[in-house]
Amino acid sequence: MLDLAIIGGGPAGLTAGLYATRGGLQNVTMFEKGLPGGQITQSSEIENYPGQLEVITGMELMDKWPQQCKKFGLKHDMNEVVQVTKTEDIFNLKLANNEQLKAKSVIIATGSVPKAAGIKGEAEFFGKGVSTCATCDGFFYKDKDVAVIGGGDTAVEEAIYLANICKTVYVIHRRDQFRASPHEVKKMEKFDNIVQVLNHDTQEIIGDNMGVTGVVVQDKNTKEVKTLDVLGAFIFVGRDVLNAPLKQDDGSFLCDLNDSGEVIVDLKMNTSVKGLFAAGDIRIDAPKQVVCAASDGAIAGIQAIGYLQ
Ligand code: FAD
Ligand code: NAP
């Protein structure tokens, strides 16, 4: 039986593994369905990880994390965990290859992924002007014009974040009313450099070999088509929270989630189930940054040691 099973090998899972093994836990396995490192390995430019003076790629940032964990005894299983259940004090893990395992404690660190809007040019220019993270990439557009696509709370919040950095922020929404709360919309309206482009479909993100140069939008009433000249297109059309392993046979979830499917935790990364911790982008109110996911992982790893004692 495992002392601790960590599900997900991104910054949160790896750091949880580092702290748990270095803190003395002997039998710890991290399950990762892809390559360890997590979603940051898709990024070509990171300049906000503390201590990194140069702009580096996500691959470079995560390169040594798995080796460091291995040094302290973290085992790595390249497998997908499909379900976690709990019987009395023991967790049961079902893997994609039908293997079944038991663990005394579990840290879920499977993250969440931004949804794609399905706009022409979105995939082609991803990382070359198209972004799903204002905190990560906003600074690259300092004093430049950008577009935000989406009308929910995230789009509006991130538009406000960008308005403090960029020259003009066009917020393009497909309906004539924002889905975001009126409170957030009111906050946005105070910014002179945010231009609302309501009731417009985004037809295409265009660019050249340097990256994005514009976003083509169509007025849904008049059918007029125009191009907004922007160098960045930030897409916030919702996220898929990767909470599937927590789903039980009866359709309920092993622990409490919020309406968006994120795991509810306290400041010590405890979930509503004893011995089950959550860390990183999967948890409520996650800032969705590597440094924060790593911090969560450290907290969860330390808490798992305490729980097992
Ligand atoms: P993730 O990194 O998402 O890791 C979760 C891991 O779990 C994945 O490897 C996944 O394969 C695995 N997994 C999922 N389900 C299962 C399962 N059932 N079984 C086994 N394994 C599973 N942050 C910054 O701080 N600075 C930046 O500049 C920055 N830029 C970014 C650019 C891009 C393009 C992207 C996509 C993100 C960026 N981020 C940035 C955000 C950062 O990557 C995330 O906040 C961080 O990776 C979250 O870490 P995590 O460990 O919680 O989740
Ligand atoms: P969301 O509420 O699901 O909103 C997604 C937005 O994207 C909607 O406006 C939707 O348009 C639009 N959209 C979806 N698919 C699209 C497509 N293919 N093309 C163009 N537009 C598309 O997602 P979210 O904003 O990420 O928020 C998720 C949850 O977190 C919500 O419950 C939200 O309230 C919460 N949240 C809260 C806060 C806060 O309280 N401060 C902050 C952030 C998020 P339609 O409106 O037409 O469907």
Side-chain angles (χ1 to χ4, degrees):
M1 171 156 8
L2 297 174
D3 286 328
L4 171 63
I6 299 168
I7 313 173
L14 284 163
T15 311
L18 173 67
Y19 275 73
T21 50
R22 195 167 176 275
L25 290 192
Q26 298 291 328
N27 199 2
V28 185
T29 297
M30 181 187 79
F31 297 88
E32 168 54 61
K33 65 179 179 181
L35 283 178
Q39 58 176 296
I40 193 62
T41 55
Q42 297 163 26
S43 172
S44 52
E45 285 183 310
I46 299 151
E47 64 173 9
N48 62 1
Y49 195 78
Q52 288 290 344
L53 283 182
E54 310 296 331
V55 176
I56 53 168
T57 67
M59 282 288 193
E60 286 166 339
L61 178 68
M62 300 311 295
D63 184 38
K64 293 196 173 67
W65 294 39
Q67 295 171 46
Q68 188 187 13
C69 293
K70 201 174 165 194
K71 193 170 102 182
F72 294 106
L74 179 69
K75 291 178 209 88
H76 171 206
D77 189 335
M78 268 187 83
N79 239 316
E80 180 177 358
V81 176
V82 291
Q83 193 184 41
V84 187
T85 56
K86 193 179 185 195
T87 317
E88 293 175 357
D89 278 348
I90 302 301
F91 292 92
N92 314 292
L93 275 76
K94 199 197 276 178
L95 308 185
N97 63 359
N98 282 326
E99 209 182 320
Q100 311 253 7
L101 290 162
K102 293 199 182 299
K104 292 179 193 162
S105 62
V106 172
I107 297 173
I108 180 137
T110 44
S112 67
V113 285
K115 285 184 183 158
I119 299 163
K120 195 172 170 207
E122 180 183 12
E124 185 186 344
F125 291 107
F126 194 85
K128 297 173 206 145
V130 173
S131 170
T132 51
C133 180
T135 318
C136 313
D137 299 328
F139 190 75
F140 297 124
Y141 305 96
K142 191 165 164 52
D143 301 325
K144 307 267 187 326
D145 295 341
V146 298
V148 162
I149 297 155
D153 280 314
T154 306
V156 171
E157 263 189 18
E158 300 304 290
I160 292 171
Y161 177 89
L162 289 166
N164 286 311
I165 302 170
C166 306
K167 193 167 138 211
T168 310
V169 181
Y170 297 97
V171 183
I172 307 162
H173 182 36
R174 62 186 179 185
R175 289 188 296 124
D176 55 6
Q177 267 194 336
F178 284 103
R179 180 178 291 276
S181 69
H183 172 71
E184 284 299 328
V185 176
K186 259 201 186 125
K187 270 203 306 198
M188 176 172 68
E189 281 167 354
K190 292 193 182 130
F191 285 79
D192 292 338
N193 61 338
I194 297 183
V195 179
Q196 296 180 18
V197 186
L198 289 172
N199 213 28
H200 277 69
D201 279 327
T202 307
Q203 289 192 326
E204 188 176 354
I205 297 167
I206 54 171
D208 55 25
N209 52 11
M210 297 296 286
V212 168
T213 56
V215 172
V216 182
V217 292
Q218 182 177 42
D219 187 315
K220 287 173 89 168
N221 289 335
T222 64
K223 306 293 174 205
E224 185 201 345
V225 175
K226 62 182 175 195
T227 299
L228 304 171
D229 296 325
V230 294
L231 296 180
F234 288 83
I235 299 175
F236 302 111
V237 296
R239 295 183 78 86
D240 288 322
V241 182
L242 302 183
N243 57 22
L246 300 173
K247 201 162 189 181
Q248 308 297 287
D249 288 341
D250 64 3
S252 68
F253 284 86
L254 179 60
C255 61
D256 291 346
L257 310 178
N258 69 5
D259 289 344
S260 307
E262 295 157 336
V263 179
I264 297 174
V265 290
D266 64 14
L267 287 175
K268 292 183 172 175
M269 306 302 140
N270 290 299
T271 68
S272 58
V273 170
K274 275 204 167 135
L276 174 68
F277 306 88
D281 284 7
I282 192 169
R283 63 126 167 128
I284 48 160
D285 297 332
K288 301 192 177 67
Q289 293 292 290
V290 174
V291 68
C292 306
S295 165
D296 282 6
I299 296 168
I302 293 166
Q303 290 306 311
I305 297 171
Y307 170 76
L308 290 168
Q309 278 166 357

